[in-house]
Amino acid sequence: MRRPAAPLLALLAVLAAVLAGPAAPARADNAAPRRPVILVHGYNADPGVWGGLDARLRAAGYTDGEIHRWGYDTHQSVNEVLADRFAAYVDDVRRRTGADRVDIVAHSYGSLPTRWYVKYGGGTATVAHWISLGGPNHGTGVAWACALWDQACRDMTPGSWVQKRLAEGDETPGEVAYTTFWSSCDEVINPDDSVPLSGAANEPAGCLDHNALLGDEGVGRGVLAALAG
């Protein structure tokens, strides 16, 4: 049986590659591992909200072992319960990955327990980048609607004890790189300028709904740039 000529073999190889579609980005075997990134969802949500950003991270070369999602009961206290539980989770991620520091991307209410951990729980030594998407970093008036029966809502109200403690002194302590993304059309964070922090890179995301911050392409690019900074 005659073998196909070399040019024909080359053509068949090209056709096979086209039919297979674009290959997933691969990292060189000798490339240094990335710092683990922990994704922290917001109030009345769960880790499933991170599908869009998770896909962006993977497209940028992050692996399964470098992406972590913390799930928690969003009706509990920032300082009395959640910050300590998050600290334990960070310790577990560091132990499993061997990393000395982690990066954090938090949406909405998730910004508060993670900030408390950084500021009061030793996180300045274990966190490299802290990124907030639409976080109620100075409170939101919307939280008054549920503050009567929900501790998390009380913590999110402007002027609450948690808000006052987080605002005391340096809002962005340590060698952590802080970044916030805020929307001028955020229906959950009121006022809009509750999100930016003194000493952080405060990035306007345009006119986006609160949850649209999670999957917006421009915000996703900004998050990747902040993590690489």
Side-chain angles (χ1 to χ4, degrees), residues 111-189:
S111 302
L112 299 187
T114 57
R115 267 185 74 203
W116 192 281
Y117 164 67
V118 174
K119 186 163 186 172
Y120 294 114
T124 54
T126 59
V127 176
H129 297 86
W130 178 90
I131 301 171
S132 171
L133 311 182
N137 293 317
H138 297 102
T140 174
V142 173
W144 286 114
C146 51
L148 184 62
W149 64 85
D150 191 289
Q151 180 60 51
C153 290
R154 287 193 287 275
D155 290 346
M156 285 190 281
T157 56
S160 70
W161 189 82
V162 164
Q163 294 292 340
K164 289 177 179 176
R165 289 282 284 142
L166 286 172
E168 283 180 1
D170 189 353
E171 287 193 325
T172 52
E175 299 301 315
V176 181
Y178 296 84
T179 305
T180 74
F181 291 86
W182 63 277
S183 165
S184 58
C185 300
D186 195 323
E187 78 284 7
V188 172
I189 304 302

Side-chain angles (χ1 to χ4, degrees), residues 12-68:
L12 291 172
V14 170
L15 288 173
V18 170
L19 291 174
R27 195 162 62 189
D29 291 339
N30 60 350
R34 297 174 189 266
R35 190 180 296 111
V37 58
I38 300 176
L39 308 177
V40 182
H41 63 78
Y43 184 74
N44 268 351
D46 60 57
V49 302
W50 291 111
L53 185 59
D54 185 289
R56 290 186 184 281
L57 289 168
R58 293 177 189 279
Y62 280 81
T63 64
D64 285 345
E66 294 164 348
I67 303 173
H68 306 267

